[in-house]
Amino acid sequence: MQDVIDHLEQNQEAALEQLKELLRIPTVSADSAFADDMRKGAEFVHNALQEAGLSVKTIETPGHPIIYAEWLKAEGAPTVLIYGHYDVQPPDPLDLWTTPAFEPDVRDGCIWARGATDDKGQCWTHVLSVGAWLKVHGSLPVNIKFVIEGEEEVGSENLDVFLEQHKEKLACDVAVVSDSSQYAPGIPAITYGLRGILACEVTLTGPNRDLHSGSFGGAVINPVNALCRLMGMLHDDQGRIQIPGFYDSVIALTAEERAQFASLPFDESEWLADLGTDAPAGEVGFSSNERRWARPTCDINGISGGYSGEGPKTIVPSKATAKITCRLVPDQNPEQLTAALKNFLADNLQPGLKFEFTSQHGAPASVADLNSPYMAAAKSAIEKSFDSVPVMVREGGSIPVVGSFKEILGIDTLLLGWGQNSDNLHSPDEHFSIEDFHRGTAASAYLWQELANG
Ligand code: BES
């Protein structure tokens, strides 16, 4: 084992250089202008896995390609499926980046680039650890399968079909995903629960063109006003979501879990100060960690319509659009709740409007077994590399594949996040601590041994 760790230490510079190369490819899955770069990203991942010593296949999908790789020579040992994604969120707003999003920069002990932590940097820790085992020993203590996709940030739409079609090939004992965070600097974590998600878009059209707000205003429906009214109806003053049936299947937090959340160190005022706000918000009766990890939400992600350029413009706009996502908890059903949201909006629509509703994607929440031998192996691997016992947390973000792994392959996922919540994922100035990158890589290398020891 120590020789693998030594090898990784001796090759840290090269590891960082390889990550930088990947970060230079702007793999923005949401925007078709980046289609060529998505292809380059897929090729890069394919070649790197091949160089690491695995047999690799690029699988085409109606969207962006999936890279599958395997090394299956550890007879009788467990089989681990490692998942990651090479796509990233759009880098906008570009002017808020200190250095350009796709020109990785090393400063203050971190690497700064879109995808540094979500998920290229974190995913790469496993590519490196597997490569190190194969380089040093010519073998691994467990069988390894990699699935690295290019559509996580747009809802993993083509992944389930791939999982269904390759169910036998993907058979394994447990999945490992590093696409979450540590609890705080110096406090590594294993994430045992994630929220699910539903995403949709609603467009209201009023008059067939923008109108003079003096000549027409007050006498014809204004879709921006109407949309704001509708959006204002989504929550009551207690922060409760008003969509009928929304909470019906929510599994309530147990007293034990609430106590466990409350036992984690959390300075709420410091957390708020870092975010530049001075009061928490959300559903009355729940703590901030409960609200963000284990309670459902409904967020308007963006509203557009009318004039938003410089200076005033006196119009009644023709159209208004809102993008909405709900974070879901066990056992909420994304399809049912998308329908419930659509009905709620349509039922409360004022007359004179055309209503269009598009469902974009959905994934259920997940909670893993805290007492599995895989959890114990992960705890031990993390402790060895981070010199600290990981805490068990749930997270508010969504990784759609985790639900699919459970449903289609029947396996639990170990969510081992090496990043920090302060890494600015999805924001300008995304970064990843270089120390966390290397510690995550070492933890990954230990993990294969720990899983083999059972
Ligand atoms: N890495 C995140 C998910 C995450 C964030 C997990 C924070 C735990 C803590 C992942 O890449 C992500 O952003 N997922 C999307 C999924 C969505 C587009 C379907 C998300 O949660 O918004």
Side-chain angles (χ1 to χ4, degrees):
M1 183 71 245
Q2 192 53 44
D3 37 9
V4 176
I5 300 298
D6 291 344
H7 175 85
L8 285 170
E9 261 167 33
Q10 284 149 17
N11 290 280
Q12 285 181 346
E13 276 297 306
L16 193 63
E17 283 311 310
Q18 193 185 32
L19 174 59
K20 278 195 208 163
E21 243 185 278
L22 175 59
L23 291 170
R24 279 187 202 108
I25 311 171
T27 47
V28 181
S29 51
D31 185 344
S32 56
F34 293 89
D36 288 349
D37 296 302
M38 287 301 300
R39 174 70 47 189
K40 275 186 211 145
E43 278 165 16
F44 186 93
V45 173
H46 181 120
N47 294 339
L49 285 166
Q50 203 152 41
E51 272 166 39
L54 295 109
S55 56
V56 193
K57 248 192 177 155
T58 291
I59 288 118
E60 297 301 330
T61 75
H64 303 301
I66 295 169
I67 317 303
Y68 173 78
E70 62 181 27
W71 186 91
L72 302 175
K73 296 180 193 157
E75 219 176 296
T79 300
V80 184
L81 177 60
I82 303 165
Y83 164 90
H85 61 94
Y86 64 89
D87 65 322
V88 299
Q89 286 271 319
D92 319 65
L94 297 178
D95 54 331
L96 294 184
W97 285 79
T98 306
T99 49
F102 296 108
E103 293 175 27
D105 189 42
V106 171
R107 60 178 191 276
D108 306 330
C110 293
I111 179 151
W112 302 72
R114 170 59 83 235
T117 190
D118 182 7
D119 178 42
K120 289 173 174 172
Q122 295 208 62
C123 167
W124 220 246
T125 62
H126 301 301
V127 176
L128 291 166
S129 82
V130 165
W133 268 100
L134 291 176
K135 183 101 188 158
V136 174
H137 291 291
S139 68
L140 277 148
V142 289
N143 298 298
I144 293 278
K145 300 177 179 180
F146 273 95
V147 170
I148 303 188
E149 71 152 324
E151 296 189 298
E152 196 270 354
E153 300 291 7
V154 287
S156 297
E157 256 191 80
N158 294 297
L159 193 67
D160 281 7
V161 174
F162 166 79
L163 297 180
E164 292 280 5
Q165 280 176 351
H166 299 84
K167 226 171 168 162
E168 268 99 69
K169 200 169 182 50
L170 297 170
C172 59
D173 296 290
V174 68
V176 171
V177 177
S178 291
D179 192 21
S180 47
S181 300
Q182 299 181 55
Y183 182 66
I187 311 181
I190 296 179
T191 301
Y192 67 92
L194 289 170
R195 286 194 290 191
I197 191 166
L198 69 82
C200 63
E201 191 169 305
V202 56
T203 298
L204 304 184
T205 309
N208 59 7
R209 58 193 185 277
D210 290 357
L211 301 172
H212 190 290
S213 67
S215 313
F216 296 92
V220 66
I221 190 88
N222 177 326
V224 178
N225 293 8
L227 186 67
C228 291
R229 174 185 163 276
L230 261 190
M231 296 298 103
M233 292 173 75
L234 286 168
H235 297 86
D236 70 7
D237 290 345
Q238 308 287 298
R240 295 267 304 174
I241 294 157
Q242 297 301 293
I243 302 165
F246 191 79
Y247 293 95
D248 284 0
S249 50
V250 167
I251 297 187
L253 273 159
T254 60
E256 291 79 33
E257 215 172 4
R258 295 189 88 166
Q260 201 263 327
F261 286 8
S263 73
L264 294 166
F266 182 63
D267 183 333
E268 188 167 78
S269 24
E270 205 178 284
W271 177 67
L272 290 170
D274 175 58
L275 303 176
T277 173
D278 57 8
E283 214 182 336
V284 170
F286 294 93
S287 71
S288 289
N289 276 349
E290 289 168 354
R291 286 172 177 162
R292 63 195 180 125
W293 293 349
R295 295 298 299 168
T297 66
C298 182
D299 276 306
I300 302 159
N301 311 119
I303 285 201
S304 57
Y307 178 69
S308 56
E310 199 181 328
K313 188 180 186 199
T314 48
I315 56 162
V316 173
S318 164
K319 263 182 199 306
T321 296
K323 290 182 191 285
I324 304 172
T325 49
C326 294
R327 296 285 169 174
L328 309 177
V329 300
D331 272 341
Q332 289 182 300
N333 177 304
E335 288 80 33
Q336 272 171 14
L337 291 179
T338 302
L341 170 59
K342 181 180 178 182
N343 291 339
F344 174 77
L345 298 175
D347 290 349
N348 288 292
L349 202 66
Q350 291 165 286
L353 290 162
K354 190 169 131 223
F355 175 77
E356 286 164 276
F357 182 96
T358 324
S359 165
Q360 288 163 326
H361 57 77
S366 59
V367 175
D369 177 7
L370 281 168
N371 298 310
S372 75
Y374 308 120
M375 281 286 178
K379 272 186 201 162
S380 161
I382 292 175
E383 197 180 340
K384 286 196 163 111
S385 175
F386 285 78
D387 284 327
S388 191
V389 183
V391 293
M392 304 304 289
V393 300
R394 283 171 66 169
E395 271 285 5
S398 310
I399 306 177
V401 73
V402 175
S404 306
F405 281 161
K406 187 82 196 174
E407 209 179 289
I408 302 169
L409 304 179
I411 49 154
D412 265 357
T413 298
L414 290 171
L415 293 161
L416 313 178
W418 317 132
Q420 299 291 346
N421 285 312
S422 53
D423 284 347
N424 288 340
L425 32 163
H426 295 203
S427 299
D429 276 351
E430 179 177 347
H431 56 282
F432 188 24
S433 145
I434 292 169
E435 203 185 350
D436 283 339
F437 174 55
H438 295 317
R439 284 194 294 209
T441 307
S444 168
Y446 283 120
L447 180 64
W448 315 136
Q449 185 64 64
E450 295 293 326
L451 286 169
N453 294 345

